[in-house]
Amino acid sequence: MFAQGRAVQEFIASIESAIIAATGLEPGSFSLESPRKAELGDFAFPCFLLAKRDKGNPAQIAGKLAEQLNASLEGIQATATGPYINFQIDRSDLARSLLGSIRSQGALYGNSEEGRGQTVVIDLSSPNIAKPMSVGHLRSTVIGAAIQRLHDALGYQTVGINHIGDWGSQFGKLVAAVDRWGGEVDLESDPIKALLELYVRYHNEEATDPSLQDAARAAFQELESGKEGHVRAVWRRLTELSMQEFQRTYERLHVHFDEIRGESFYEDHLGPIIERIVQSGVTEESEGALIVSLKEFGENVPPCLLRKSDGTTLYATRDLAAAFHRWELYHFARCLYVVGGDQRLHFQQLKYVLQRMGVEWEPKVEHIAFGMMRLPEGKMSTRKGQVVFLEDVLDRAVAEAAKIIAEKNPELANSAEVAEQVGVGAVIFNDLKRERVKDIEFVWSEVLSFEGDTGPYVQYTHARLLSILTKADAGAIDAAPDWSALADSAGLLLTLGQFPGVIRKAATHAEPSEVTQYLLGLAREINSWIAANRVLGQAPGVMAARLQLADAARIVLHKGLALLGVSAPESM
Ligand code: ARG
């Protein structure tokens, strides 16, 4: 019979090899499906293609093949139903092998080695200094960090890079604004808000006072010249003040970066990269500027601007430098840019320039786009002051969590810590809940709801399992299990068995919502299972089997939340 630790994947593999042996089909040329109804079995194999190949009747072929398969399969029952063969894993075998496998692997369940030796670069978060990190930046940070953890679980070497926006003509404006009005604001106590104020004021006054435009341009030119003077000193101070602020938020989100390489990092690369692009023969001069025409990709595709007529570089120039730098350092299998869908054209242009240059790794560069975060009153805009500040969102969510905990569980010892875990978890989970390309309307009451399809609901389910497990007598879980007590629990077992596949697909698609949706479904299944199956106070064998299932389910919820960056408090 089956060895301990044989997980669902291995049942599938043995069904597939039995089919291959009996039919001569090519491995990989077919895959098992889910039966129409769960009662029919765990997996189904349609015989239509086989019937076509052998010019026979599908139902007859299914009948004969099922007989053959039953002779070779152990612990799996094959039944022909019309043109389908349905397979059912022996319930005791399923429970013993799957629960054994999950519980022995613990937090490592779902991991694999398939990415060994390959590097994945993830460009994430990347806020702009001197501006507040808005809930819009939250998306890149939490989506990017989840994508990184998913690849980590599959054994890839991953490099998370925060491509801070710390370069560009706006810093000319900021330095000029600080010079002019810096004395009128308090840069120390709330630097980001003060800088935003200065920036907005400069932006407004420059419309009527052209000398402001000149001053800003001169400041950026000086910055790009590399001169170690006053402009650079002010710019450096702005960067430091901003980074300190961002760091606070990253700590609350439990996100860290392998590299913080702002756009300024590429300063010394810009000359050489422009030279390299020129050498490849794809550039032209246009009104004093250096461009790469992209007309061949469509009449409406605008050219990529590499250098303006005043000699300064652009966002795209710095991204081209970064792409080459990353390739040379890491020889990545994937280079993922987790950036809003509003920058689609920018990344399309980046890829087109690489294509024109004949760069062979261009297909490995992927823009992982996500939808915009909208307020019910319209699109967020820093300039119009229509933003939701990320810190305020987190604070408000935590305050709300604290209120609910005080109501529902006033005895809770570490309630402040749990409120932070639940509040921050709710915000992260909400952001990862829907397919990433979809726009999100940021509705307070939805983000903060602790019922329905929310992070706190999954956290609560995890805590509920843990409470059952800790109430059981010591050693109860280790009694000889009576697996027949899980005869009705195959659906939940199979869902637990799907977890490794969910991780693999979510990583391939760079789509953390596949994990959130899986966890929501799993949590619902667990709660109905708890309602239908008494765990405590049963005969020892029954109790052991059910405790093992509760333990495996707890492990999967905990791991799934961890992949998303959401904590799982022990009680709440
Ligand atoms: N700082 C940019 C912004 O906030 C995002 C940068 C994304 N990463 C990149 N390599 N372009 O719009």
Side-chain angles (χ1 to χ4, degrees), residues 68-185:
Q68 257 174 298
L69 292 172
N70 274 329
S72 65
L73 285 170
E74 279 183 87
I76 298 168
Q77 181 65 41
T79 316
T81 313
Y84 288 91
I85 301 177
N86 294 309
F87 299 91
Q88 170 123 307
I89 306 172
D90 177 273
R91 290 313 180 223
S92 299
D93 284 329
L94 176 64
R96 181 184 326 116
S97 64
L98 184 66
L99 298 181
S101 166
I102 297 174
R103 296 185 60 233
S104 67
Q105 293 178 72
L108 299 179
Y109 175 59
N111 286 11
S112 80
E113 296 287 313
E114 63 193 66
R116 201 49 81 215
Q118 299 187 69
T119 302
V120 176
V121 174
I122 300 121
D123 184 305
L124 76 165
S125 193
S126 312
N128 302 318
I129 59 165
K131 282 191 186 170
M133 210 194 286
S134 72
V135 279
H137 286 112
L138 171 69
R139 301 220 70 197
S140 174
T141 310
V142 303
I143 295 171
I147 291 172
Q148 181 166 11
R149 289 186 211 96
L150 287 166
H151 282 90
D152 285 336
L154 299 178
Y156 290 92
Q157 178 77 36
T158 63
V159 189
I161 304 180
N162 192 346
H163 188 83
I164 300 275
D166 60 358
W167 207 250
S169 51
Q170 70 273 31
F171 296 103
K173 238 181 243 189
L174 264 168
V175 171
V178 170
D179 281 349
R180 209 161 281 235
W181 307 308
E184 299 171 29
V185 293

Side-chain angles (χ1 to χ4, degrees), residues 529-543:
W529 180 79
I530 295 176
N533 293 275
R534 206 168 259 292
V535 179
L536 301 174
Q538 306 296 297
V542 172
M543 198 152 69

Side-chain angles (χ1 to χ4, degrees), residues 123 126-128 137 163 165 263 315 319 337 339 343 346-347:
D123 184 305
S126 312
N128 302 318
H137 286 112
H163 188 83
E263 292 183 43
Y315 181 53
D319 252 331
Y337 292 84
V339 185
Q343 294 194 27
H346 167 74
F347 287 102

Side-chain angles (χ1 to χ4, degrees), residues 16-39:
E16 287 177 345
S17 34
I19 292 176
I20 290 164
T23 63
L25 283 173
E26 285 291 320
S29 70
F30 64 94
S31 55
L32 298 179
E33 301 178 354
S34 293
R36 236 173 339 103
K37 280 187 265 161
E39 303 87 82

Side-chain angles (χ1 to χ4, degrees), residues 373-389:
M373 184 84 79
R374 285 168 207 286
L375 294 171
E377 51 271 33
K379 193 171 180 244
M380 292 185 200
S381 151
T382 323
R383 245 173 287 139
K384 291 192 211 130
Q386 223 183 72
V387 282
V388 172
F389 295 103

Side-chain angles (χ1 to χ4, degrees), residues 231-461:
V231 171
R232 186 156 290 245
V234 175
W235 167 80
R236 200 163 276 140
R237 178 153 164 255
L238 301 182
T239 311
E240 277 159 17
L241 288 170
S242 304
M243 287 307 292
Q244 283 165 16
E245 294 283 299
F246 295 159
Q247 201 46 44
R248 274 215 317 268
T249 303
Y250 292 141
E251 273 161 26
R252 291 186 83 177
L253 297 174
H254 308 290
V255 171
H256 77 277
F257 304 95
D258 300 300
E259 303 290 347
I260 297 187
R261 284 196 198 115
E263 292 183 43
S264 64
F265 172 86
Y266 301 97
E267 206 181 346
D268 296 336
H269 301 226
L270 297 172
I273 197 63
I274 289 178
E275 190 48 39
R276 184 169 184 166
I277 302 173
V278 170
Q279 285 306 318
S280 76
V282 302
T283 54
E284 48 199 87
E285 296 274 338
S286 167
E287 295 166 38
L290 187 68
I291 65 164
V292 179
S293 163
L294 302 174
K295 275 218 169 62
E296 67 188 70
F297 300 101
E299 268 311 302
N300 298 327
V301 183
C304 179
L305 204 52
L306 297 179
R307 195 177 55 211
K308 288 202 224 169
S309 54
D310 65 3
T312 55
T313 62
L314 295 108
Y315 181 53
T317 329
R318 296 183 286 277
D319 252 331
L320 280 160
F324 278 94
H325 180 254
R326 289 170 191 180
W327 174 255
E328 269 138 37
L329 269 186
Y330 307 116
H331 286 89
F332 47 73
R334 302 177 86 179
C335 179
L336 308 176
Y337 292 84
V338 186
V339 185
D342 53 344
Q343 294 194 27
R344 210 164 250 132
L345 176 63
H346 167 74
F347 287 102
Q348 195 54 260
Q349 289 179 306
L350 182 76
K351 282 172 69 70
Y352 284 155
V353 172
L354 297 175
Q355 266 183 50
R356 279 206 64 190
M357 293 174 74
V359 167
E360 81 283 3
W361 43 268
E362 176 275 331
K364 301 179 197 285
V365 171
E366 296 172 60
H367 177 204
I368 304 302
F370 54 81
M372 291 293 99
M373 184 84 79
R374 285 168 207 286
L375 294 171
E377 51 271 33
K379 193 171 180 244
M380 292 185 200
S381 151
T382 323
R383 245 173 287 139
K384 291 192 211 130
Q386 223 183 72
V387 282
V388 172
F389 295 103
L390 182 48
E391 285 244 84
D392 297 342
V393 176
L394 295 178
D395 288 343
R396 200 166 148 183
V398 170
E400 199 69 24
K403 230 167 48 197
I404 296 177
I405 290 166
E407 250 166 54
K408 294 198 170 164
N409 195 355
E411 315 281 83
L412 190 63
N414 54 343
S415 59
E417 189 191 329
V418 175
E420 174 80 16
Q421 293 177 326
V422 173
V424 173
V427 173
I428 295 176
F429 197 93
N430 176 67
D431 212 338
L432 296 175
K433 203 167 85 181
R434 299 168 201 83
E435 245 180 289
R436 61 176 154 72
V437 295
K438 298 225 166 102
D439 284 354
I440 290 193
E441 192 172 62
F442 192 83
V443 184
W444 274 106
S445 59
E446 227 176 81
V447 177
L448 297 177
S449 161
F450 291 0
E451 275 148 42
D453 289 351
T454 64
Y457 172 66
V458 179
Q459 289 175 317
Y460 162 77
T461 308

